[in-house]
Amino acid sequence: MDPLADLLQGVRAHSAAFCHAILQPPWALRIADGARLALASALRGHAWIVPDHGEPVLLDTGDIAIVKGPDHYTVGDDPATAPDVIVRPGNRLTTLDGTDVTEALRLAPRTSGHSPDGSTTVASGTYQVDGEVSDRLLNVLPDIVVVRRSDGPAPVMDLLAQEVGGEGPGQQIVLDRLLDLALIATLRAWFARPEAHAPGWYLAQGDPLIGPALRLIHDAPAHPWTVASMAGKVGASRATFARRFADLVGEPPLTYLTGWRIALAADLLRRSDLTIDSVARQVGYANAFALSVAFKRVRGVSPSQHRTGVTVNGGLTIHHRQPTVDA
């Protein structure tokens, strides 16, 4: 696989929390589902995305936004409109005082609103992303990415609009896959823009020397790679390969390899019951000791400390950040 494909493996929609909202101004929704990643598009009309910290962003018809969480934010017809509905995990809708209005606002399966005649339609899907591998993708994205209809995956969003109200066989799988396609196409469209400042590993995928080398690393991270062996595989001298890799990716080949191995190990430690020795061998280290040395050098904690879900810094135990809580 290429780096983007690997990073997206943990950001796939599986029974995605997909929502189709039909709205009439004035309207505003407080998004408090804690999702790490959300994709939204104004299929009809427009919508403003209003973060708690930062400038509001306008979505015109057909535009697509990718929003990083888990912090909460507001979506409305105008940045000044106060929300009267809170969107909670699982697309559960409540009033500001906590009264559940999910069924009261349901117009059809996966469709909510006060009336089917509203002038604005917003489609969205949320991803409960976790894992160090996926974080390598999220960490290079701004809090809000917007791709205009003229630059984005319009055909995919048109298909989403057609499918969202249906109840045919395999409907959820269809929506999941369309949501995945929309996310991938939107990311590719975003990274193609100069202002996106795409990471080196993304830009380097198109290079005739470094692109194949990145795929070698991602296809076989446990292989005993050296700079010389990678250079030989792509038909370059060791010095030329090392220099070009560092120039394009932004770090030396073995540093990139180590970072990828440690990210894979971090996810295996959290998601499996494998021993540290087994994890080490799966990602290219001879034994648990070798992995522990590398893991602590890169992350500042041991594999066993990482597995417990805390970070130790100067003797203090710091729990991972939790999303803010709305009433």
Side-chain angles (χ1 to χ4, degrees):
M1 289 189 181
D2 61 66
L4 182 62
D6 262 335
L7 298 180
L8 284 167
Q9 283 298 308
V11 194
R12 294 189 65 184
H14 298 285
S15 297
F18 193 89
C19 180
H20 184 233
I22 301 176
L23 305 151
Q24 182 65 29
W27 63 270
L29 308 172
R30 179 67 172 163
I31 311 301
D33 55 12
R36 293 287 309 284
L37 192 70
L39 183 142
S41 179
L43 302 180
R44 184 171 72 233
H46 73 272
W48 284 89
I49 299 174
V50 186
D52 287 355
H53 306 286
E55 295 298 317
V57 176
L58 174 64
L59 283 186
D60 282 320
T61 302
D63 296 345
I64 301 176
I66 297 172
V67 184
K68 287 200 307 185
D71 290 342
H72 302 166
Y73 55 96
T74 299
V75 180
D77 70 301
D78 186 277
T81 303
D84 58 358
V85 173
I86 299 177
V87 180
R88 301 190 183 275
N91 280 335
R92 186 170 64 89
L93 307 177
T94 73
T95 60
L96 298 184
D97 63 6
T99 302
D100 194 306
V101 291
T102 307
E103 291 305 319
L105 294 179
R106 191 182 303 278
L107 298 174
R110 291 179 292 274
T111 300
S112 299
H114 290 288
S115 166
D117 301 321
S119 62
T120 302
T121 302
V122 177
S124 62
T126 58
Y127 297 81
Q128 295 296 339
V129 182
D130 63 0
E132 303 288 333
V133 168
S134 297
D135 278 350
R136 288 167 70 92
L137 172 61
L138 298 186
N139 289 342
V140 300
L141 295 176
D143 291 339
I144 302 175
V145 167
V146 175
V147 173
R148 302 302 173 190
R149 180 180 176 86
S150 57
D151 302 321
V156 176
M157 299 311 297
D158 291 341
L159 284 173
L160 268 173
Q162 294 172 22
E163 290 285 345
V164 69
E167 277 299 301
Q171 189 70 23
Q172 185 64 56
I173 298 297
V174 172
L175 290 172
D176 286 352
R177 296 294 76 80
L178 287 174
L179 196 61
D180 285 340
L181 286 172
L183 176 64
I184 294 166
T186 302
L187 286 171
R188 290 171 65 179
W190 167 252
F191 282 141
R193 297 165 61 174
E195 64 268 31
H197 303 294
W201 54 258
Y202 182 87
L203 297 173
Q205 292 178 81
D207 184 80
L209 290 182
I210 308 309
L214 288 169
R215 288 189 285 275
L216 288 172
I217 290 172
H218 283 256
D219 286 343
H223 185 81
W225 294 113
T226 64
V227 176
S229 66
M230 282 188 270
K233 284 285 189 180
V234 300
S237 71
R238 184 187 185 283
T240 297
F241 172 76
R243 182 172 58 253
R244 190 168 184 82
F245 193 106
D247 287 345
L248 293 181
V249 179
E251 57 186 345
L254 295 186
T255 303
Y256 181 90
L257 174 62
T258 297
W260 180 239
R261 285 172 168 172
I262 296 301
L264 292 173
D267 282 353
L268 284 171
L269 289 165
R270 289 277 180 85
R271 296 173 177 174
S272 76
D273 295 326
L274 292 172
T275 65
I276 294 176
D277 191 70
S278 295
V279 170
R281 295 179 190 281
Q282 284 201 26
V283 301
Y285 290 95
N287 50 46
F289 177 77
L291 173 62
S292 295
V293 170
F295 203 99
K296 192 161 188 176
R297 183 178 71 249
V298 173
R299 297 298 175 92
V301 296
S302 69
S304 58
Q305 288 170 329
H306 172 80
R307 181 165 256 172
T308 65
V310 298
T311 300
V312 178
N313 182 13
L316 297 177
T317 300
I318 305 172
H319 292 269
H320 295 298
R321 183 183 67 163
Q322 298 296 320
T324 55
V325 177
D326 289 286

